[in-house]
């Protein structure tokens, strides 16, 4: 069991060719383009959730920040759908790869920082040195604030990777325990299966919450720089 514990996190290949990019494109099928005058219930629910999320997340932004609405909503839809598709059996969760999450976090973080230095140069530089700092502490505080700024994209990526990976590992371990217990003691296997079902429901919630948290933090970084 230990040998196969991390098999589900290995990038899949066909004839030695990685197919991660193809899998990343799968979430597109979850959000079809409406072709009817009146949407069906699934499309109506999707649009209502998207409108509520947009209203809640973008209400704090000024005009410059609201120009990022399409990008941020596309980001939360992509992460949420990728996380949910990863809960299907024999599927691959792209958001368990730290490299992919860094690929999303670093460009978005860099864009917010560049936007801040471009439009609010003095305010952005003032973040490196809080007002009223004693003179002997100035070099140390500048270094600390610089490190805290540079670590933001790493924190974004690691948070998403750790939460999704931990949930999948726990489900894998409990599922393996159930298969082992079924041949030993069915009485113990039954409550363990109930725990697995409850954990699966929790993972559905975690998949959506982590997508929201990732996008919300990017939105807050944008708010601080616009």
């Amino acid at each position: 069991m230990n040998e196969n514990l991390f098999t589900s996190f290995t990038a899949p290949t066909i004839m030695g060719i990685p197919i991660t990019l193809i899998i990343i494109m799968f979430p597109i099928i979850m959000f079809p383009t409406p072709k009817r005058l009146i949407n069906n219930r699934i499309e109506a629910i999707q649009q209502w959730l998207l409108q509520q999320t947009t209203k809640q997340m973008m209400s704090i932004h000024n005009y410059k920040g609201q120009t990022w609405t399409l990008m941020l909503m596309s980001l939360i839809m992509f992460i949420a759908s990728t996380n949910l598709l990863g809960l299907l059996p024999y599927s691959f969760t792209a958001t368990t790869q730290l490299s992919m999450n860094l690929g999303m976090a670093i460009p978005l973080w860099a864009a917010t920082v560049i936007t801040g230095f471009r439009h609010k140069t003095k305010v952005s530089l003032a973040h490196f040195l809080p007002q009223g700092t004693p003179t002997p502490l100035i070099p140390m505080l500048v270094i600390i604030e610089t490190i805290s700024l540079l670590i933001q994209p790493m924190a974004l990526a690691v948070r998403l990777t750790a939460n999704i990976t931990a949930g999948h590992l726990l489900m894998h371990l409990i599922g393996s325990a159930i298969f082992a217990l079924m041949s030993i003691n069915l009485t113990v296997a039954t409550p363990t299966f109930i725990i697995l079902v409850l954990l699966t429901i929790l993972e559905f919630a975690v998949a959506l919450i982590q997508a929201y948290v990732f996008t919300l933090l990017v939105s807050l970084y944008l708010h601080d720089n616009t």
Side-chain angles (χ1 to χ4, degrees):
M1 185 176 69
N2 293 333
E3 295 179 356
N4 300 324
L5 188 59
F6 294 93
T7 302
S8 58
F9 304 111
T10 306
T13 59
I14 295 179
M15 299 179 64
I17 301 175
I19 58 172
T20 306
L21 289 177
I22 300 176
I23 295 174
I24 291 174
M25 296 176 64
F26 277 0
I28 298 175
I29 66 177
M30 297 185 66
F31 301 96
T33 303
K35 298 180 180 179
R36 305 173 184 174
L37 183 60
I38 300 177
N39 296 330
N40 57 33
R41 293 178 181 177
I42 296 179
E43 292 175 348
I45 292 174
Q46 288 179 347
Q47 291 183 4
W48 179 80
L49 289 174
L50 190 59
Q51 289 174 359
Q52 295 299 317
T53 305
T54 304
K55 185 185 300 184
Q56 182 177 3
M57 189 173 296
M58 304 307 297
S59 60
I60 62 174
H61 291 279
N62 55 20
Y63 176 76
K64 292 180 182 178
Q66 291 178 356
T67 58
W68 284 55
T69 302
L70 181 59
M71 179 179 292
L72 293 179
M73 291 304 103
S74 300
L75 178 66
I76 191 173
M77 291 168 61
F78 171 73
I79 298 177
S81 55
T82 302
N83 292 345
L84 291 175
L85 286 173
L87 293 174
L88 296 175
Y90 302 102
S91 61
F92 171 73
T93 311
T95 47
T96 58
Q97 306 297 309
L98 183 60
S99 57
M100 174 183 164
N101 295 335
L102 283 173
M104 293 190 296
I106 292 177
L108 291 170
W109 166 82
T112 59
V113 172
I114 293 172
T115 301
F117 279 108
R118 180 182 178 184
H119 297 289
K120 298 170 61 176
T121 307
K122 293 183 179 180
V123 176
S124 298
L125 291 175
H127 286 303
F128 292 95
L129 187 62
Q131 188 176 5
T133 304
T135 303
L137 296 179
I138 289 178
M140 183 180 299
L141 280 179
V142 170
I143 294 174
I144 292 174
E145 291 297 329
T146 303
I147 294 175
S148 66
L149 178 66
L150 295 177
I151 208 172
Q152 287 177 352
M154 179 64 71
L156 275 176
V158 170
R159 181 185 294 106
L160 179 59
T161 304
N163 281 280
I164 301 301
T165 303
H168 283 61
L169 283 176
L170 191 56
M171 292 174 63
H172 178 80
L173 290 172
I174 295 178
S176 301
I178 291 174
F179 276 109
L181 289 171
M182 286 177 64
S183 58
I184 300 174
N185 191 338
L186 190 60
T187 306
V188 179
T190 302
T192 308
F193 176 76
I194 296 175
I195 293 175
L196 179 61
V197 173
L198 295 176
L199 180 62
T200 304
I201 297 174
L202 177 63
E203 281 303 305
F204 271 97
V206 169
L208 298 175
I209 291 172
Q210 288 305 314
Y212 180 78
V213 169
F214 188 97
T215 310
L216 179 62
L217 289 175
V218 174
S219 175
L220 292 176
Y221 296 156
L222 177 64
H223 179 259
D224 292 338
N225 289 282
T226 54

